[in-house]
Amino acid sequence: MKAFQCDHCRSLVFFESVSCVACGHALGFVPEVLDMAALEPAEGGTWRPVGNGPSERRFRNCSNGIQHAVCNWLVPAGEGDTFCISCRLNRTIPDLTIPGNRDRWHRLEKAKRRLVYTFLKLHLPLDGLNGNRKTGLRFEFLADAPGRPPVMTGHDSGLITLNVLEADDVERETRRVSLREPLRTLLGHFRHEVSHYCWDRLVACTPWRHRFRELFGDESLDYGAALQRHYSQGAPADWQSRFVSAYASSHPWEDWAETCAHYFHMVDTLETTASFGLSLKPVHPSSESMTIDAAETESRGDSFDALVAAWGPLTIALNSFNRGMGLPDLYPFVLSSPVIQKLRFIHRVLSVEAGGF
């Protein structure tokens, strides 16, 4: 994600900001232009962008921002829907009468909006916005209930379900350790599950399916049996040579979802790197292969080779920073040659199909 600035005073602001700490102006995110806008009050309870923003336009806060302070996205004043394009994808929100659920929901929404930002940036349409919620992407955030089976995070025909307990750091870390996962985050959940949605819409009934099977395997294999085998026997000993994660080895659908999620990780992180003007020119024997200019990589956004060439050195540097702070590696994964070929295929599918599922 790119760095943002206040249109009024040029100070750095962030994707989740609701006001500029430097000048005090209210802020809101305008999804149509993928940018933050500094705001001043206008007629009828609306906002007018200031500075370089679209000053002739008027906006309202998303209803979830007004009522629950969980959203900072804006809605054009002339629209009939009071929710922003991210919040109107929600089918079920957490039960806000339960203590702590509003904060959990806020953390879920922050992660979800980063996912929606990536979809908008890549021009992957969010079906279901114009009343077409039956076939479009939608979300429900559910909690375990006494006497009922636990809520499983997953995807089913465009509906992405997340257990609200995943928004609790202790609970999520406990699950990460018990499942022996190197990384488990809310944003990672969203990216993984939305990748299943992408497979359904972009690959399942298209000419891409033949190449998918060549790279990922035959998805018609019994999915339930494959997962049971994975959890009882674990991943094959050589999984790192063929898969981006141990879980990716469980079934071709999960291989696609895990790999596609990593593609979203790469695109988002490299955009951030370029936006902050970061480059690498290390002083050691491997410096030539480690030198990158992230701004140049971003300008070649359609080049998969440029993406991969920058990603390796960047993750080595970022992991080194984390180790210097006594933290786990930021990106604890290795991209083998077969994984890179899968990523290349995903890049091509998303690039070609952007603009219409």
Side-chain angles (χ1 to χ4, degrees):
M1 179 171 292
K2 64 184 180 182
F4 300 99
Q5 65 179 16
C6 173
D7 289 325
H8 179 259
C9 70
R10 303 301 189 205
S11 295
L12 178 70
V13 298
F14 300 96
F15 185 57
E16 295 82 11
S17 296
V18 294
S19 64
C20 175
V21 297
C23 70
H25 269 79
L27 298 172
F29 184 77
V30 184
E32 293 89 345
V33 294
L34 296 181
D35 209 355
M36 298 291 290
L39 306 166
E40 58 185 20
E43 61 279 357
T46 64
W47 294 101
R48 175 191 301 110
V50 300
N52 292 328
S55 58
E56 75 283 355
R57 300 189 64 187
R58 299 293 181 267
F59 295 94
R60 290 179 283 102
N61 293 108
C62 173
S63 285
N64 281 337
I66 296 171
Q67 298 178 29
H68 307 294
V70 298
C71 181
N72 67 338
W73 284 28
L74 300 174
V75 182
E79 283 195 7
D81 202 319
T82 62
F83 294 99
C84 72
I85 65 172
S86 176
C87 287
R88 68 186 75 163
L89 295 173
N90 292 342
R91 190 171 86 166
T92 307
I93 66 169
D95 181 354
L96 299 184
T97 65
I98 298 176
N101 264 5
R102 195 204 68 85
D103 289 338
R104 296 184 185 100
W105 182 31
H106 192 193
R107 289 191 285 272
L108 288 163
E109 286 294 341
K110 287 194 291 185
K112 190 193 79 179
R113 285 195 296 275
R114 284 183 174 264
L115 171 75
V116 174
Y117 172 95
T118 300
F119 254 53
L120 294 173
K121 173 183 167 59
L122 296 180
H123 305 290
L124 298 172
L126 296 165
D127 286 346
L129 291 182
N130 298 316
N132 187 25
R133 292 188 173 92
K134 288 186 178 181
T135 59
L137 182 64
R138 57 213 191 277
F139 300 87
E140 58 180 11
F141 306 128
L142 304 176
D144 296 338
R148 296 183 180 179
V151 173
M152 302 299 293
T153 293
H155 166 266
D156 182 15
S157 301
L159 176 64
I160 292 176
T161 301
L162 261 77
N163 190 322
V164 299
L165 285 180
E166 290 285 349
D168 287 330
D169 293 341
V170 172
E171 177 65 28
R172 190 174 61 255
E173 180 65 8
T174 299
R175 296 184 182 197
R176 186 194 70 79
V177 173
S178 67
L179 294 171
R180 299 189 294 276
E181 296 177 344
L183 186 69
R184 189 181 182 96
T185 66
L186 284 178
L187 185 53
H189 279 316
F190 278 109
R191 286 175 174 163
H192 176 99
E193 300 306 337
V194 83
S195 295
H196 284 299
Y197 170 72
C198 288
W199 189 89
D200 279 357
R201 295 310 181 95
L202 301 178
V203 179
C205 298
T206 73
W208 295 114
R209 193 170 187 173
H210 176 71
R211 180 57 177 158
F212 167 85
R213 288 185 169 182
E214 290 179 342
L215 290 170
F216 294 87
D218 184 359
E219 81 288 350
S220 67
L221 297 173
D222 189 296
Y223 179 71
L227 290 189
Q228 285 187 345
R229 183 168 56 253
H230 173 76
Y231 286 120
S232 63
Q233 301 177 13
D238 66 340
W239 69 263
Q240 286 184 308
S241 67
R242 296 180 287 134
F243 302 98
V244 73
S245 69
Y247 186 58
S249 69
S250 63
H251 188 275
W253 280 338
E254 298 303 340
D255 191 9
W256 163 276
E258 287 283 274
T259 310
C260 189
H262 280 255
Y263 180 80
F264 292 138
H265 292 333
M266 295 165 70
V267 169
D268 187 272
T269 305
L270 284 167
E271 183 188 18
T272 304
T273 305
S275 186
F276 278 94
L278 299 180
S279 60
L280 293 179
K281 193 174 181 181
V283 182
H284 58 68
S286 301
S287 60
E288 184 174 348
S289 63
M290 288 284 293
T291 298
I292 67 168
D293 183 337
E296 180 181 348
T297 300
E298 178 71 8
S299 69
R300 298 170 58 196
D302 61 341
S303 170
F304 177 77
D305 290 333
L307 188 76
V308 171
W311 184 244
L314 177 63
T315 56
I316 292 172
L318 293 176
N319 287 346
S320 297
F321 281 121
N322 266 33
R323 293 177 189 183
M325 291 294 292
L327 297 170
D329 284 353
L330 183 71
Y331 188 75
F333 304 94
V334 176
L335 301 183
S336 64
S337 293
V339 171
I340 290 174
Q341 290 307 308
K342 294 171 185 178
L343 286 165
R344 184 184 298 277
F345 173 70
I346 288 168
H347 173 82
R348 178 160 175 74
V349 171
L350 297 186
S351 298
V352 170
E353 300 295 339
F357 280 178

